[in-house]
Amino acid sequence: MSRTHNSFAHRSSPLAVILVLAAACIAAHAHEGRHVTRGAPHPAAPDETRFTTTRPEQVKLPLPGEEDAFFFVVFGDRTGGPAEGVKVLAEAVRDTNLLEPDLVMTVGDLVQGYNQTGEWMEQMREYKRIMNGLLMPWFPVAGNHDIYWRGPDRPEGEHEAHYEMHFGPLWYAFEHKNCWFIALYSDEGDPETGEKSISKPACQRMSDEQFNWLADTLEKAKDADHVFLFLHHPRWLGNNYGDHWERVHALLAEAGNVTAVFAGHIHKMRYDGPRDGIEYVTLATVGGHQPGLAPEAGYLHQFHVVTVRKRQIAMASIPVGEVTDVRALTGKVSEETGRLAGVRAAIDEPLRIASDGSASQIFSAIVTNPVTRPIEVTIAPTSADSRWFFTPDHNHATIKPGDSYTFRFRTERMADSLDCAFRTPALSLQMEYLAPSLRYAIPESVSDLPMVADLESPPRPAVEHVLVLDGEDDCLRVPNELLTVPDGPLTLECWFNAERYAERTGLVAKTENSDFGFFVNNGT
């Protein structure tokens, strides 16, 4: 907003006046307890005591404001998916440790649950072992997976007692840097029957005990810069959640300093704010069931990063596994991964195709590891021509530094014409550089397999005009002044027969002025 205001400040126009008044109104509103939640921090005025140079100052560079700021991370659901989702959780912990926020919050569904005591305890220990790898404090929120019991001898409250014994209170709050963090419990169940269900509105109600505690806590936090709430179910969405959230929202809006509410459960990102100055945010997953319908639209494993300043917050989502450890990318790692990107498999002999289009052969692809760390290799022959068959269809190997590994494949092609659907087989090569604590994926390379065709000689033409070029520097050059090309459309045609193909090579081209040309790239 400050950039827009500044751009109009030099004009004497009604719009400039409106913007100035709007900024003043927002600032006054913030002092009354509401918060400007979007926009970068305002730059400070130039200050000679904070800026020095020996060059002439043609431009006065604005300096960043010096107000305090901090940030925290929010994890989405861990459960509802395969057991190996804990690996995604562990990767999120690694990412978060690289960022070093003040603290980490969750939005529930920590363990798979829906079980009895023994299995629940095992899952609890696994989750806490991974989360305790965080370098900063983390705070749980209870979800339905953490609480629901399945099987005989269902205790009152189901797994509530286990949760409070091993994770913490079902609802609680704490203060940090003049901000309050409140964890709510959204699975108290039907107050009449005690039933817990995510599909029945009667079970999605907040007890008077928790509601009154929330009101008391908001009163304690009345002088806070921000209040953040965390719960598992996004009750404001309304589906199967009953009507109790309207009562809660009214309480939050009345408090005047509640900035954002975070939930999970639906396994996709969703933004439903601001409403009465409160931003409503739903997270996707950190290891939970993830359909991945549209990753760029929030169907992915991710966590939120929230940056907090006195009168505003900023929010961003980071996909799990996308945070890079700068200190891990040493010169050696950089040089060796770059070298691996140029590695290609050596083929022992070209594929031979008969005049009837058939082929049957065993060939070997040799991959050599040129670096000082092991590499993991996946290699697969492939072709867009469905008449080629390969056995096996792919292969794996881990290759030690300096060693070579030979992959053997049988290739078959049924007898058929060499028609316009014919495609040369290729070899896909994928590698991972295995560093001491991480692995780095090298982009896939695809190379055409060398091939020799035993074909009958075509009939010689009645008149033959052939230019034979037998060296890399051989060419036929037509001086520009001898070739008159009119403006507008033209036709360029060439027949050629190549003994071998290289990467991008000019065939017939006038390209110094980006005019026209044919280029051949690995036979295409």
Side-chain angles (χ1 to χ4, degrees), residues 458-466:
R460 297 177 64 84
V463 179
E464 184 176 280
H465 299 283
V466 176

Side-chain angles (χ1 to χ4, degrees), residues 190-217:
D190 188 329
E192 300 295 329
T193 65
E195 180 186 8
K196 297 184 183 297
S197 171
I198 62 174
S199 60
K200 297 180 180 180
C203 299
Q204 305 292 319
R205 305 177 72 82
M206 180 181 284
S207 66
D208 289 340
E209 179 188 358
Q210 185 176 185
F211 186 86
N212 293 335
W213 168 85
L214 175 60
D216 291 342
T217 302

Side-chain angles (χ1 to χ4, degrees), residues 201-499:
C203 299
Q204 305 292 319
R205 305 177 72 82
M206 180 181 284
S207 66
D208 289 340
E209 179 188 358
Q210 185 176 185
F211 186 86
N212 293 335
W213 168 85
L214 175 60
D216 291 342
T217 302
L218 291 173
E219 175 62 23
K220 286 182 181 179
K222 64 182 179 181
D223 295 325
D225 294 330
H226 301 277
V227 174
F228 301 106
L229 267 74
F230 304 85
L231 71 161
H232 181 61
H233 299 99
R235 284 183 167 176
W236 56 88
L237 298 184
N239 49 336
N240 297 322
Y241 294 145
D243 58 359
H244 259 209
W245 191 256
E246 288 305 310
R247 181 185 178 211
V248 176
H249 175 81
L251 187 65
L252 304 182
E254 182 182 358
N257 61 348
V258 177
T259 299
V261 180
F262 298 89
H265 186 66
I266 62 175
H267 291 209
K268 59 184 178 181
M269 290 172 59
R270 175 172 170 152
Y271 179 74
D272 292 292
R275 180 184 173 195
D276 295 327
I278 302 170
E279 302 202 74
Y280 280 99
V281 182
T282 309
L283 283 82
T285 50
V286 178
H289 168 67
Q290 181 47 252
L293 301 179
E296 292 185 0
Y299 292 83
L300 78 169
H301 295 302
Q302 54 80 220
F303 54 87
H304 280 18
V305 177
V306 183
T307 303
V308 183
R309 292 182 173 85
K310 187 175 181 63
R311 290 184 174 85
Q312 64 192 49
I313 67 169
M315 291 187 289
S317 169
I318 299 181
V320 174
E322 293 300 312
V323 180
T324 300
D325 184 354
V326 175
R327 295 184 177 95
L329 297 180
T330 62
K332 181 178 179 180
V333 170
S334 176
E335 188 275 329
E336 293 199 338
T337 51
R339 196 188 316 168
L340 276 181
V343 168
R344 300 293 182 270
I347 308 303
D348 63 340
E349 59 178 318
L351 304 184
R352 307 194 71 89
I353 185 167
S355 58
D356 64 356
S358 65
S360 179
Q361 185 178 339
I362 294 176
F363 73 93
S364 296
I366 302 96
V367 178
T368 300
N369 179 1
V371 298
T372 62
R373 296 292 308 172
I375 61 173
E376 193 170 283
V377 175
T378 300
I379 191 167
T382 181
S383 179
D385 185 341
S386 62
R387 292 165 291 189
W388 288 97
F389 300 93
F390 305 98
T391 307
D393 60 356
H394 72 283
N395 213 330
H396 306 276
T398 299
I399 307 176
K400 295 179 180 179
D403 285 0
S404 297
Y405 190 91
T406 300
F407 300 88
R408 294 178 64 79
F409 297 94
R410 170 171 287 280
T411 179
E412 303 279 348
R413 188 182 189 274
M414 64 179 67
D416 202 351
S417 61
L418 301 179
D419 52 23
C420 60
F422 176 83
R423 295 292 184 273
T424 303
L427 200 63
S428 163
L429 179 63
Q430 295 176 303
M431 294 176 288
E432 288 190 327
Y433 178 88
L434 306 183
S437 59
L438 292 173
R439 54 176 61 209
Y440 297 94
I442 308 301
E444 177 188 23
S445 66
V446 179
S447 305
D448 286 337
L449 286 166
M451 188 170 58
V452 174
D454 298 323
L455 304 179
E456 298 176 357
S457 299
R460 297 177 64 84
V463 179
E464 184 176 280
H465 299 283
V466 176
L467 173 67
V468 178
L469 304 174
D470 58 3
E472 292 184 0
D473 296 327
D474 284 4
C475 68
L476 173 65
R477 176 175 294 178
V478 179
N480 194 62
E481 60 270 14
L482 297 183
L483 184 64
T484 302
V485 179
D487 290 338
L490 62 94
T491 298
L492 185 66
E493 184 175 351
C494 176
W495 290 82
F496 70 99
N497 178 23
E499 294 181 354

Side-chain angles (χ1 to χ4, degrees), residues 20-280:
V20 171
L21 289 174
C25 289
I26 291 174
H29 201 37
H31 285 296
E32 293 171 359
R34 311 309 296 146
H35 296 272
V36 181
T37 56
R38 299 297 302 275
H42 297 286
D47 183 349
E48 293 181 0
T49 65
R50 295 175 58 204
F51 186 88
T52 180
T53 180
T54 57
R55 303 297 300 165
E57 287 190 70
Q58 304 292 342
V59 177
K60 292 288 187 180
L61 299 177
L63 301 179
E66 295 185 281
E67 64 175 320
D68 290 338
F70 73 94
F71 75 98
F72 64 90
V73 161
V74 190
F75 280 8
D77 292 28
R78 206 305 286 160
T79 51
E84 55 266 26
V86 293
K87 296 179 181 178
V88 179
L89 177 67
E91 197 164 10
V93 167
R94 185 197 70 87
D95 286 352
T96 303
N97 282 339
L98 291 174
L99 297 173
E100 294 195 21
D102 282 32
L103 59 101
V104 174
M105 299 295 303
T106 76
V107 290
D109 276 5
L110 318 177
V111 303
Q112 197 69 33
Y114 286 82
N115 51 21
Q116 298 177 55
T117 301
E119 192 175 2
W120 191 97
M121 291 292 184
E122 182 179 342
Q123 294 169 357
M124 173 273 298
R125 284 190 288 268
E126 179 182 53
Y127 183 85
K128 290 183 69 175
R129 175 181 54 80
I130 295 172
M131 290 292 283
N132 286 341
L134 286 166
L135 301 177
M136 64 293 303
W138 63 274
F139 298 88
V141 167
N144 47 286
H145 277 262
D146 309 314
I147 301 300
Y148 289 13
W149 178 284
R150 288 295 182 268
D153 304 321
R154 181 177 69 88
E156 182 180 356
E158 306 194 14
H159 283 295
E160 287 182 348
H162 290 147
Y163 182 92
E164 294 203 299
M165 179 177 293
H166 296 282
F167 284 114
L170 291 169
W171 58 81
Y172 60 91
F174 64 91
E175 188 269 342
H176 177 66
K177 294 184 177 178
N178 205 37
C179 296
W180 277 82
F181 293 74
I182 300 177
L184 300 181
Y185 179 41
S186 56
D187 259 310
E188 289 187 273
D190 188 329
E192 300 295 329
T193 65
E195 180 186 8
K196 297 184 183 297
S197 171
I198 62 174
S199 60
K200 297 180 180 180
C203 299
Q204 305 292 319
R205 305 177 72 82
M206 180 181 284
S207 66
D208 289 340
E209 179 188 358
Q210 185 176 185
F211 186 86
N212 293 335
W213 168 85
L214 175 60
D216 291 342
T217 302
L218 291 173
E219 175 62 23
K220 286 182 181 179
K222 64 182 179 181
D223 295 325
D225 294 330
H226 301 277
V227 174
F228 301 106
L229 267 74
F230 304 85
L231 71 161
H232 181 61
H233 299 99
R235 284 183 167 176
W236 56 88
L237 298 184
N239 49 336
N240 297 322
Y241 294 145
D243 58 359
H244 259 209
W245 191 256
E246 288 305 310
R247 181 185 178 211
V248 176
H249 175 81
L251 187 65
L252 304 182
E254 182 182 358
N257 61 348
V258 177
T259 299
V261 180
F262 298 89
H265 186 66
I266 62 175
H267 291 209
K268 59 184 178 181
M269 290 172 59
R270 175 172 170 152
Y271 179 74
D272 292 292
R275 180 184 173 195
D276 295 327
I278 302 170
E279 302 202 74
Y280 280 99

